[in-house]
Amino acid sequence: MSGRKHTVRQRAGLDVVYDGLCRLCRRSLDALQRLARRNVFRLHDANDREMMRSRFPMLADADTDRAMFVVTPRGEVFRGFFAYRRMMWESPWLYPFLALFYAPGAALVGPLIYAWVARNRRNLGCSLDSRRQCGVRASGGGGDTSTIREVSP
């Protein structure tokens, strides 16, 4: 086998880690999957802490209450607005949205809009349980997110 290159086939698509208890989050990701017209996103509920520890150790200290995260097959991590922007590259059917995500000033305004929606989602009726609104866990996370990209490739 000397001289032969070993190639590792990486899984196609993106892992999307989000608040599975948030109706707004779920509906927006479902709509994006339908627009993509193919199964390019693997959705994971950030509330499943055991799954988070085993599959996404790089997000152990990430504040999943304030943003969703995208993990690429190469292990790159994107947060919030930049996660959505990264998702647009996964299907030709989503390419028209790239103009919006890369418009002049989008990298400055987009994160602010995303943060506002994330903060106010419980006022937008996002809870899957009609008796309670989306809650922010007391643990809050926050830790070291130095490996999480806030800019696009």
Side-chain angles (χ1 to χ4, degrees):
M1 279 210 189
S2 63
R4 292 183 89 192
K5 289 184 179 179
H6 294 282
T7 58
V8 176
R9 186 168 185 171
Q10 295 178 347
R11 292 174 23 170
L14 300 173
D15 287 300
V16 180
V17 178
Y18 74 105
D19 180 359
L21 298 177
C22 174
R23 180 176 288 163
L24 177 66
C25 304
R26 182 66 204 193
R27 288 194 333 219
S28 67
L29 291 171
D30 285 345
L32 209 53
Q33 287 214 60
R34 281 192 304 278
L35 287 171
R37 294 192 181 183
R38 49 184 204 161
N39 194 18
V40 293
F41 307 122
R42 290 177 297 281
L43 304 180
H44 306 280
D45 184 357
N47 296 297
D48 182 349
R49 291 302 177 188
E50 184 61 33
M51 179 276 304
M52 289 292 292
R53 279 191 293 280
S54 65
R55 292 198 62 181
F56 304 106
M58 74 288 273
L59 296 178
D61 292 329
D63 189 355
T64 56
D65 290 322
R66 298 195 194 279
M68 69 168 217
F69 293 84
V70 162
V71 181
T72 69
R74 293 174 30 179
E76 299 168 303
V77 179
F78 296 86
R79 178 186 190 279
F81 167 81
F82 298 102
Y84 267 103
R85 183 157 79 170
R86 177 59 184 85
M87 292 170 76
M88 297 305 126
W89 288 100
E90 288 302 301
S91 169
W93 295 99
L94 299 176
Y95 291 174
F97 296 104
L98 288 170
L100 176 65
F101 281 87
Y102 284 93
L108 298 173
V109 176
L112 297 174
I113 294 170
Y114 183 95
W116 183 87
V117 170
R119 265 192 324 273
N120 293 288
R121 64 192 171 138
R122 61 184 79 87
N123 298 328
L124 301 172
C126 72
S127 177
L128 289 177
D129 180 353
S130 61
R131 294 172 302 192
R132 77 183 224 337
Q133 295 294 318
C134 289
V136 176
R137 288 186 294 275
S139 63
D144 178 22
T145 56
S146 59
T147 60
I148 297 171
R149 298 185 62 161
E150 291 288 343
V151 295
S152 67

